[in-house]
Amino acid sequence: MSEPLKLGLDALVDVLKAAGEPTRLRLLALLDGGDLTVTDLTEILGQSQPRISRHLKLLGEAELIERYQEGAWAYFRLKQDGKAAMLVRALLKHVSENDPTILRDGERLSLVKRQRAERAQAYFSRNAAEWDELRRLHAADEEVDAAVIRLLGSQPIDSLLDLGTGTGRILELLSGLYRRATGVDASRDMLSVARANLDKSRITKATVRHADILNLPFEGQDFDLVTIHQVLHFFDQPEIAIAESARMLRPGGRLVVIDLAPHTLEYLRDEHAHVRLGFSHQAMSDWLRKSGLDVEQVVDLHPGQQSGQGLTVTVWLARDPRRLMASQASEGAEPTFAGRV
């Protein structure tokens, strides 16, 4: 049985005061289900924007929710870490799902999410033909997914950062392994698709945000896994993204890069905005090592049917060696290298 959560008297009273008001408790219950804007919340609760904003401000001051900006929109969600947030999550488990007010809020939340999904699907449909064409060129997505799962194993992931999250595919794929996850992307349209996909899969422990992966708005050493899936070929200097990824890793943390091997399909530059025509083992390994990471495994996944016209997908697994080196030094062991498979 887990140890009971312990807070000081003043801190406990502050949490209970913040949560112990009907509108604020309803807000907490809604934000436990994912990221929402003030506009979303006013539509669901039927209250004025100033009133909702005031309640959100109080919840933020009590460190029960977090706020992040995405262009002109501000998104809110239940805080993922901290004793106060853990206590609120425990309180929410005691809220009856059959309460008339909670039921009504849930119905309106479902409507908001349906509308969000429809907008995302409209964007996805406009671009589906292009994405389908690219997928036909390389190894099947299912094969790539299976390779990533094999490389990562069953080790629990405390915190995941997915760079260039796109449709949120990696957030969905690894949802059974991580405790919390953040996906970032420079396209707000793609973030809409990712949010809709997370809603559809009922994944509430992941969030997506607008950000530049070459200049991430996070403190360093906050994630034990970073993933970069089919993104680096869009950058003129992918090594900068590798260095930013390394900065995000905790000691002992891992980085997974999934991208294309070198190829000669020049039309991808003009028609699909590819800047780099794939990456060799040597070039990627050099960037990873320059960023202070050890390359542990490299896997090539070849296309199944295109007889030379398709694209090989390569998966690199690298690790921040700092914790491993300290552990091996204490045991008198030599560092190990898993090699390529």
Side-chain angles (χ1 to χ4, degrees), residues 45-100:
L45 272 66
Q47 298 183 17
S48 68
Q49 182 169 327
R51 181 171 180 176
I52 294 296
S53 296
R54 181 172 61 84
H55 284 305
L56 291 172
K57 182 174 183 293
L58 293 172
L59 292 172
E61 290 173 350
E63 298 188 349
L64 302 182
I65 63 172
E66 52 188 349
R67 176 188 185 277
Y68 64 92
Q69 196 75 24
E70 187 175 300
W73 296 96
Y75 281 87
F76 298 84
R77 68 179 283 113
L78 197 62
K79 203 170 177 65
Q80 297 292 300
D81 296 306
K83 290 183 177 181
M86 290 173 62
L87 176 58
V88 164
R89 290 184 184 278
L91 288 173
L92 290 174
K93 291 179 181 179
H94 294 280
V95 177
S96 172
E97 60 273 14
N98 295 318
D99 179 89

Side-chain angles (χ1 to χ4, degrees), residues 159-181:
S159 54
L160 162 68
L161 177 62
D162 183 34
L163 301 182
T165 198
T167 63
R169 183 178 184 85
I170 292 295
L171 299 178
E172 293 185 85
L173 176 67
L174 302 181
S175 62
L177 292 177
Y178 59 75
R179 182 182 66 84
R180 65 178 175 92

Side-chain angles (χ1 to χ4, degrees), residues 207-229:
T207 185
V208 293
R209 301 187 181 185
H210 183 261
D212 177 3
I213 73 172
L214 302 182
N215 185 22
L216 293 166
F218 307 117
E219 295 294 330
Q221 302 186 34
D222 194 33
F223 299 91
D224 55 1
L225 176 66
V226 176
T227 54
I228 315 177
H229 182 220

